[in-house]
Amino acid sequence: MGKLEQNEQEASQSFISTVAVIGFVGGALWSLVAYFAYTFKFIPFGPAVILEPWALGDWKTGTLGQWLGILAIAIISIGVAFLYRVLLAKFNSIWPGIVFGFVLWLVVFVVLHPLFNTIDPITEMNRNTLTTSISLYVVYGLFIGYSVSYEYHERTVHEGESIQE
């Protein structure tokens, strides 16, 4: 009996680590794509914008700052993946992830905008910046959302695993 309980706990921990990996990879992948969008002038800011409220100096706008921004976004994305897991993991569809990504865009560009001085308000952004940034957030939300939901669905429905809420 104790052995079954131990297996259930290990499987649940395995799901937790899977969500963390999904978040880290999603953050790293899509912030790297954002860095390329910044490099090719689709958006006027790169991943280093995340460092703006905390880091001093011009180094953060250079290559080192961009790479550290990618790492910071990847680490923050672990928390984002757990937030998705808690709120929406039971929905096995692409739409909750798309909506989640758009809501994240709204939070960053409307609610948290005062933290980031180098980003124009959304009313002053050009069409390329709006389209590119919204698209990046939507595919980021889709990646994290569908990956977490798929893993949740596979473990609960197909394998019969009990995942703690």
Side-chain angles (χ1 to χ4, degrees):
M1 182 80 167
K3 192 167 184 98
L4 293 175
E5 194 173 301
Q6 180 182 4
N7 289 342
E8 185 176 314
Q9 184 178 9
E10 287 175 6
S12 193
Q13 288 174 343
S14 176
F15 180 66
I16 289 170
S17 63
T18 301
V19 171
V21 168
I22 289 168
F24 187 85
V25 170
L29 173 68
W30 293 107
S31 59
L32 184 62
V33 172
Y35 180 47
F36 288 124
Y38 167 71
T39 301
F40 293 114
K41 309 278 189 247
F42 285 104
I43 52 177
F45 50 85
V49 75
I50 192 87
L51 304 173
E52 187 175 306
W54 300 281
L56 298 174
D58 290 336
W59 64 270
K60 65 186 171 197
T61 58
T63 305
L64 176 62
Q66 299 300 334
W67 286 104
L68 288 176
I70 291 169
L71 179 63
I73 291 169
I75 292 169
I76 290 168
S77 293
I78 294 170
V80 171
F82 278 108
L83 178 65
Y84 188 91
R85 189 268 176 257
V86 168
L87 298 176
L88 301 167
K90 291 183 180 180
F91 299 103
N92 194 25
S93 170
I94 63 169
W95 295 108
I98 290 170
V99 171
F100 184 73
F102 184 72
V103 169
L104 284 175
W105 182 85
L106 286 173
V107 167
V108 170
F109 286 87
V110 176
V111 177
L112 298 178
H113 181 263
L115 290 174
F116 309 110
N117 296 332
T118 57
I119 299 177
D120 290 335
I122 59 172
T123 56
E124 296 175 17
M125 286 183 186
N126 66 36
R127 189 176 300 163
N128 283 343
T129 301
L130 280 171
T131 304
T132 303
S133 62
I134 291 171
S135 297
L136 284 169
Y137 272 81
V138 165
V139 293
Y140 167 73
L142 177 60
F143 179 90
I144 287 180
Y146 196 73
S147 298
V148 170
S149 293
Y150 177 82
E151 190 66 28
Y152 180 86
H153 183 75
E154 284 295 305
R155 289 173 184 257
T156 57
V157 174
H158 292 290
E159 296 176 14
E161 191 176 306
S162 174
I163 297 175
Q164 297 174 348
E165 295 300 321

